[in-house]
Amino acid sequence: MDETLRAKLSRTPVAGLAAQLRKRGLDNVVIEGLHPLGADAKIVGTARTLRFLPNREDLFASHGGGYNAQKRTFDAVEPGEVVVIEARGETGSATLGDVLALRAQVRGAAGIVTDGGVRDAEAVAAIGIPVHCLGNHPAVLGRRHVPWDSDLTIACGGATVQPGDVIVADRDGVVVIPPALAEEVADAALKQENEDAWVAEQVRAGHPVDGLFPMNPQWRAKYEESQ
Amino acid sequence: MDETLRAKLSRTPVAGLAAQLRKRGLDNVVIEGLHPLGADAKIVGTARTLRFLPNREDLFASHGGGYNAQKRTFDAVEPGEVVVIEARGETGSATLGDVLALRAQVRGAAGIVTDGGVRDAEAVAAIGIPVHCLGNHPAVLGRRHVPWDSDLTIACGGATVQPGDVIVADRDGVVVIPPALAEEVADAALKQENEDAWVAEQVRAGHPVDGLFPMNPQWRAKYEESQ
Amino acid sequence: MDETLRAKLSRTPVAGLAAQLRKRGLDNVVIEGLHPLGADAKIVGTARTLRFLPNREDLFASHGGGYNAQKRTFDAVEPGEVVVIEARGETGSATLGDVLALRAQVRGAAGIVTDGGVRDAEAVAAIGIPVHCLGNHPAVLGRRHVPWDSDLTIACGGATVQPGDVIVADRDGVVVIPPALAEEVADAALKQENEDAWVAEQVRAGHPVDGLFPMNPQWRAKYEESQ
Amino acid sequence: MDETLRAKLSRTPVAGLAAQLRKRGLDNVVIEGLHPLGADAKIVGTARTLRFLPNREDLFASHGGGYNAQKRTFDAVEPGEVVVIEARGETGSATLGDVLALRAQVRGAAGIVTDGGVRDAEAVAAIGIPVHCLGNHPAVLGRRHVPWDSDLTIACGGATVQPGDVIVADRDGVVVIPPALAEEVADAALKQENEDAWVAEQVRAGHPVDGLFPMNPQWRAKYEESQ
Amino acid sequence: MDETLRAKLSRTPVAGLAAQLRKRGLDNVVIEGLHPLGADAKIVGTARTLRFLPNREDLFASHGGGYNAQKRTFDAVEPGEVVVIEARGETGSATLGDVLALRAQVRGAAGIVTDGGVRDAEAVAAIGIPVHCLGNHPAVLGRRHVPWDSDLTIACGGATVQPGDVIVADRDGVVVIPPALAEEVADAALKQENEDAWVAEQVRAGHPVDGLFPMNPQWRAKYEESQ
Amino acid sequence: MDETLRAKLSRTPVAGLAAQLRKRGLDNVVIEGLHPLGADAKIVGTARTLRFLPNREDLFASHGGGYNAQKRTFDAVEPGEVVVIEARGETGSATLGDVLALRAQVRGAAGIVTDGGVRDAEAVAAIGIPVHCLGNHPAVLGRRHVPWDSDLTIACGGATVQPGDVIVADRDGVVVIPPALAEEVADAALKQENEDAWVAEQVRAGHPVDGLFPMNPQWRAKYEESQ
């Protein structure tokens, strides 16, 4: 992702991006149900995907231990990427802990998004890399998962994520943007933000939302004039 | 609501009000499952109701856009009122954002209660009007709702709310009080608070709860004497 | 619990204990779904159990009021014990309030764990005794429960807890340790913590997790050398 | 509803109607989660709506007993109408029993759809009027509901239903059709049924679905020829 | 239970019993969420309770195998008793299979009620002893449970059940009756059944429910006359 | 799968297979929450996997229509194979309808297992190919899914399924058997069935389960003698 786009997306609320995507017919692009683990909720990056499957003892024996798909992914994540983990909304174990969160940070990853749990949650939050997750759980991943493969199109929090998709997160949630749309959507969202900020000023000044939100031609004329 | 009653209710914990309502046979008066969005959880006011229905594309086309039932309600809310939204516990979209929260605040509303989501959550929390909601979601309401009508008896968080019902909220939750009972219940709850504070002192001093909580005649005599 | 063991467990993360228990074949020992009510999440103690049953009006009449099983338990809890309440994951009422939390603290209890609700949540948090619970609710326990009996083996948050079991909690969750295993598991977890901290240093220094986490013989040799 | 339309809809599978509605941009028109109570799942009629609210003791006292909104609705239902009940997916009580089911049948109602429970379920099934519901429950409605009002736009099983909407049900589920679309959608669905039946014949004869389902120009030509 | 009472309860619908219990202030006496496994749903008997706890590997080792609490209970059940199992609504394993169902039948048990699963479901249904359960699951109980103790007051399907409570089940559900109330409630329910059957006749004859259901003095006079 | 093994598995209850797998350390091999759609629940075959992802409008446009992954899989399924679909437990649309069920049958497939919905459910049941699914829904798959890829290891009903795994289903549920274990597990389960049948005879004859189930040396001696 080029730095201009990253800078724009960093200034754009996820709510604004979701609204613009909806206007373009993309209504199923929010990774839902997660919350930011620590104080810093903002993520802007491109998806590096990782898929966990339900724990099955024979497959865990062959795929679960050692240098598994999870660890390979955290060693491979590139600067500006976001590790996005499919964990099927399973809250009965962790999907990462502090060592891997640290590895991601050292690699320059932009954040981690998992629809599963996190262990060492306090330590992970202290590292500072933004993490959106479903909950804390002390158990290692093997209690519920086999780390299986990476760099596939996956499901996370009810949304489909492809490797390379643009991921933006803040306190409102996590949105997935098809890369080809990212610039257009960011520009439109920033423009709308500007309008909404001006609308908010008028509301703060005591104007009703009737005619103003959304703007009728009279209000729009005033807005245009003010710019 | 007169200011004396408002002042009393502002000093009364929701837990105390719920206990008094239960003593009077009202056991189904808690709006459940919500949490305060920001630092300020306390709401005291009277209900202004708003009803959303599940999104249906033909009805959204006729009722969803422009100056819809949602916006009319936020323009109409009176000082001291609480906007209470029926959103069926749906967490897959917002039911309001920062502009409408601001409009409610400017109108002097006492708070907002919704069993749906909030977008621009950080901005809404910053405005300062207390909001109890089910979660954050970046999507506009149209993803899951059609704003339909207002000033009807509605369901919110599993409780029935009539326009004009007294709404009191704090960190323990949100309680609905039939207006004719509000004064009596507030008085009784404050009286009980006083007793409970005295009981807590005795407990802090090392007395067992046996005989003290609830008070037997001996403890009650000491309590009466202390007042 | 002797003070040496308590001191060790106080320094050991729950995640580390859970991992050691799993290595010893104990994979179902996490009380799940709860969160700490206040700022202090850490609990180390032994279980004092209390069982609630679903409210049934005739049984509430005979067992619910006065000096019931709940109050007897809080009067009886010993220093260093943790009150663990079976509330069946029911969130529609409280299972304790500020007076009983205070009584537990005065008795020297190490904490409270309940898979039900808490009322007077702000006051309870202010008391300072660590509480892990499922949520806040203003209603008294009688709305959903009859306090029934104590000192029985119970279910809490999906885990079985026996009176006397060792309970350790932090932000990651709550773990139940069979007493006979506590020392061994604490020692092993602390040893592992030491290793993991060293591994984290290497990761912070830029080393891949490949070969390091878990450690291969080369890394282990360096680790041993460093100690 | 005129008899020609009723006859057409009676021959059309709900799956076919849902597909045609989706093609016309109506994707949120299925009342979900219900099942037919008895052997006869087929309903064709127009909606007569009834709304229940969560039980609240003071409101039940004023609105729950006697000739309440529920009973007035069953006395008023017209031949060919379907009673559609909003019960918020609540399964902890019934929303109707055998007497009212019988009353609906005597009035010539086409069926009953409720996202709540049914009591006297065996008797209701024996009456023969088709009922789609969420489950059986022996308790009277007052355990969970106040029957409130009727002939309003309501939510049922996650779909919005307006009085007069066309309701069609079979074993696949219940669909809501805006009246103005019913004829067009029925015709298109029957046409598609005809095609699909012919496609099924080809599949039964051993042809792959590739090119056939959906039909490419070659298969379509054969199909047209066969008609 | 004496045979007269058993005979009465056998002729009384659970819906009628639940209504009479509610009239006497008992509103939380339905074991919810279960369904009859086979064709025969009717159970009348007294409760013999059995409690399962969440599987914990160390406790399963000591209590799970051999002649455990589950097997002791099925060997001890007396003619006319109903085995009622607390399984916490857990559907991830069975709580009984065909051998134990057969043992209960041979012992003369009146039925089995479990808020857990059943394995060998087809075989169990074929045995003919009525079973109400939450679902079928092929796994042995040890996957999710430790059979723990019996003859205690337990929770099942959200209701509290004491040993000796009267259990009546049919297609509408399972109701728990305090023994001292059983005769009175059965008599009242049968009387009401008689009334309701007469009301149904009037409805079948075309009378509105207005004034008839519930009966006003005029209708009641006609009813009395008809008896 | 060779015919001898298929014949054995056809005679073996799923409950028996699950018990043998558990004895061999495989406790997470049941596809849970599904039910058989029609009268015939028995499936024996090897898995042919198909993966659906959450609907995303841009990806549906590129992958959803025409000869998609779903249709290619049903055209490719081989005799004796079971189509196993990952649908994430989503019940808001179908994952197949009658044409594809027919295609599978014509191809000689042994059954279909999906943790999503089925449309044309009555027609699918009439075709006769055994189907285990989560529910009926009239909507086409595109409402909730994009058919994505096939022949990958997938999650279905909480279990991991690899292409080629042995799938056996009956009314108790669906079990996944690693191919290398199938023969051994079938043999052991049949042996155990034989024992259990003999045990059931003794129980039917009035013997307690104490000592008999499981068999002590005395009972085992009698059993051996009887064979």
Side-chain angles (χ1 to χ4, degrees), chain C residues 13-25:
Chain C
V14 167
L17 295 167
Q20 292 302 324
L21 287 161
R22 180 173 160 87
K23 281 194 184 164
R24 287 156 182 80

Side-chain angles (χ1 to χ4, degrees), chain A residues 172, chain B residues 31-38 40-41 43 83 85 87 89-91 93-96 112-119 121 124-125 130-137 156-157 169-170 173-174:
Chain A
D172 275 2
Chain B
I31 298 177
E32 293 180 305
L34 313 187
H35 60 267
L37 184 70
D40 185 10
I43 299 177
V83 180
I85 304 175
E90 169 62 60
T91 56
S93 82
T95 58
L96 76 148
I112 301 168
V113 174
T114 172
D115 67 347
V118 171
R119 68 199 295 258
V124 170
V131 178
H132 284 247
C133 65
L134 208 54
N136 301 354
H137 199 286
C156 180
D170 64 16
V174 187

Side-chain angles (χ1 to χ4, degrees), chain D:
Chain D
M1 191 189 309
D2 77 60
E3 284 311 304
T4 321
L5 176 55
R6 186 179 302 274
K8 277 183 203 168
L9 289 168
S10 299
R11 290 172 8 234
T12 321
V14 166
L17 295 167
Q20 292 302 323
L21 287 161
R22 181 173 159 89
K23 281 193 184 164
R24 286 156 183 80
L26 289 169
D27 205 29
N28 293 313
V29 285
V30 177
I31 298 178
E32 293 181 307
L34 312 187
H35 60 267
L37 185 70
D40 186 10
K42 190 74 189 190
I43 299 177
V44 176
T46 52
R48 161 78 59 156
T49 64
L50 170 59
R51 187 167 71 120
F52 286 6
L53 287 170
N55 182 28
R56 202 174 102 179
E57 294 82 353
D58 58 328
L59 301 180
F60 193 83
S62 58
H63 291 70
Y67 196 52
N68 58 27
Q70 176 206 36
K71 286 168 186 161
R72 290 194 302 271
T73 301
F74 279 85
D75 262 359
V77 64
E78 297 288 341
E81 286 186 342
V82 181
V83 179
V84 183
I85 303 176
E86 171 174 336
R88 309 173 314 282
E90 169 62 62
T91 57
S93 83
T95 57
L96 77 148
D98 56 357
V99 172
L100 292 182
L102 184 58
R103 180 65 181 145
Q105 190 201 41
V106 168
R107 297 277 306 168
I112 301 169
V113 174
T114 172
D115 66 347
V118 171
R119 68 199 293 260
D120 314 314
E122 209 158 280
V124 170
I127 288 168
I129 185 170
V131 177
H132 284 247
C133 66
L134 207 54
N136 300 355
H137 199 286
V140 291
L141 71 88
R143 187 168 188 251
R144 292 288 181 252
H145 301 290
V146 190
W148 198 257
D149 48 19
S150 58
D151 304 316
L152 234 74
T153 302
I154 61 170
C156 181
T160 297
V161 181
Q162 295 204 285
D165 278 341
V166 174
I167 303 293
V168 187
D170 63 17
R171 296 235 151 242
D172 276 1
V174 187
V175 76
V176 184
I177 313 177
L181 274 180
E183 191 95 36
E184 169 188 342
V185 156
D187 289 341
L190 282 171
K191 184 159 170 292
Q192 186 67 45
E193 271 306 288
N194 199 53
E195 278 189 35
D196 289 358
W198 188 86
V199 164
E201 268 176 60
Q202 312 317 310
V203 169
R204 193 170 291 112
H207 295 287
V209 293
D210 187 8
L212 172 62
F213 184 59
M215 289 193 259
N216 61 18
Q218 290 73 36
W219 274 114
R220 183 156 295 279
K222 285 192 207 170
Y223 168 66
E224 300 295 355
E225 199 175 309
S226 77
Q227 296 300 295

